[in-house]
Amino acid sequence: MKDTPTPLQIEKAKASALAIQLERYKQENERIVALLKKTQHNLEKKTQLALTLQIQQSEMEKVREKQAIAAAKVEEDELQNLREELLTARRDLTKQLSLSKKREQEHEQQVERLKRQLDQLNNDRCNDESLKNMEHRTKTLEKCQSELIVLVKKQIKLIEILKEQRNHARAAALLGITEKTFLKEITV
C-alpha cells in the first residue's frame, strides 16, 4: 500500500506553491516598478523637449523677422533697437521656462497618480489584461521617446542655422552691405 500524503504534507506542498507564486508576483512587481520609473523619466524628457522645441521655434521665427529688419536698416540706432528686442525675447524665454517648470510639476503629479495605479495593479495581480495595457503604454512611450530624439536633432540643426544667420546679420551690419547682397549671402 502506497503512503498517502498526510494533511500536513499536503498543506506544506500548498504553502510551497504559494511561496513560489508570491516570489513570481514580487519579481513582476519589481519589473513593473522599473518600467514605471523608465516611463516617468521618458515622459518628463518628452515634455521638456517638446516645450523647448516649441520655444526655440518661436524664438527662431522672431530672430528671422529681426534679421530681415537688420538687413534693410543697417544704421546703428536700429541695431540698438534690435538688441533691445532680443533682450525682451530673452526675458520672454525666461518666463516660458518658468511655465515649463510648472508643467513639469504637473507631470510629477501625474506620475504620482500612475504610482497609485501601480499600487492598485499590485493588489489586482490576477488581472493579466491590466499588465498588457501597461506594456502597451510602455511601447507607446518608447515610440514617443524615439520621435522626441528625432525632434531634438532637428532642433539642433535649426539652432545652428539661426547662429549662422545671426552671424551673417552682424557681419552685414558691420560691413554696411545692401539688403540684396545680404540676402544673396544668406541663401548661399
Side-chain angles (χ1 to χ4, degrees):
M1 177 176 211
K2 283 191 170 181
D3 291 329
T4 58
T6 66
L8 180 61
Q9 290 173 334
I10 292 171
E11 290 301 316
K12 283 183 179 179
K14 286 180 181 178
S16 175
L18 285 173
I20 291 170
Q21 188 176 9
L22 178 62
E23 184 60 31
R24 285 186 200 141
Y25 285 153
K26 284 181 182 179
Q27 290 173 355
E28 182 66 17
N29 186 34
E30 290 172 1
R31 185 186 71 77
I32 289 173
V33 167
L35 187 61
L36 179 63
K37 286 180 182 179
K38 182 179 178 183
T39 302
Q40 175 186 1
H41 181 70
N42 289 342
L43 181 62
E44 289 171 0
K45 278 186 176 179
K46 176 184 176 183
T47 303
Q48 290 172 354
L49 290 174
L51 288 174
T52 303
L53 179 62
Q54 184 180 11
I55 289 168
Q56 288 180 349
Q57 285 176 341
S58 173
E59 289 301 313
M60 183 177 67
E61 186 61 35
K62 288 178 185 177
V63 168
R64 284 183 183 155
E65 291 172 6
K66 291 173 185 173
Q67 285 176 343
I69 292 170
K73 301 173 183 178
V74 185
E75 296 175 9
E76 185 60 34
D77 293 343
E78 299 198 1
L79 287 176
Q80 183 62 31
N81 288 339
L82 286 175
R83 287 183 190 118
E84 290 173 4
E85 289 176 12
L86 286 174
L87 288 175
T88 303
R90 285 182 186 164
R91 287 186 203 115
D92 291 342
L93 181 60
T94 304
K95 289 177 185 176
Q96 290 173 355
L97 288 175
S98 68
L99 288 175
S100 71
K101 286 181 183 180
K102 288 180 184 177
R103 289 180 185 152
E104 182 178 326
Q105 290 173 349
E106 292 172 1
H107 287 293
E108 288 175 2
Q109 291 172 354
Q110 185 179 12
V111 167
E112 288 300 320
R113 184 180 53 80
L114 287 173
K115 285 182 182 178
R116 287 192 300 272
Q117 288 177 354
L118 178 63
D119 290 340
Q120 182 64 31
L121 277 177
N122 288 336
N123 293 335
D124 301 329
R125 261 306 168 205
C126 296
N127 192 350
D128 288 339
E129 187 173 278
S130 295
L131 292 174
K132 290 177 184 176
N133 286 339
M134 223 20 179
E135 290 174 357
H136 177 71
R137 288 180 193 162
T138 303
K139 289 178 183 177
T140 304
L141 287 173
E142 289 173 349
K143 181 181 175 185
C144 289
Q145 180 184 15
S146 299
E147 292 172 359
L148 277 174
I149 289 171
V150 169
L151 287 174
V152 168
K153 289 179 182 177
K154 288 180 180 179
Q155 181 182 14
I156 289 170
K157 288 180 183 177
L158 288 174
I159 289 170
E160 288 184 21
I161 290 170
L162 283 173
K163 285 179 181 178
E164 266 188 44
Q165 289 179 350
R166 181 183 64 197
N167 289 337
H168 286 297
R170 286 180 180 168
L174 291 174
L175 294 174
I177 61 176
T178 64
E179 177 183 1
K180 191 173 187 179
T181 308
F182 179 77
L183 292 176
K184 285 181 183 177
E185 289 295 323
I186 287 179
T187 56
V188 173

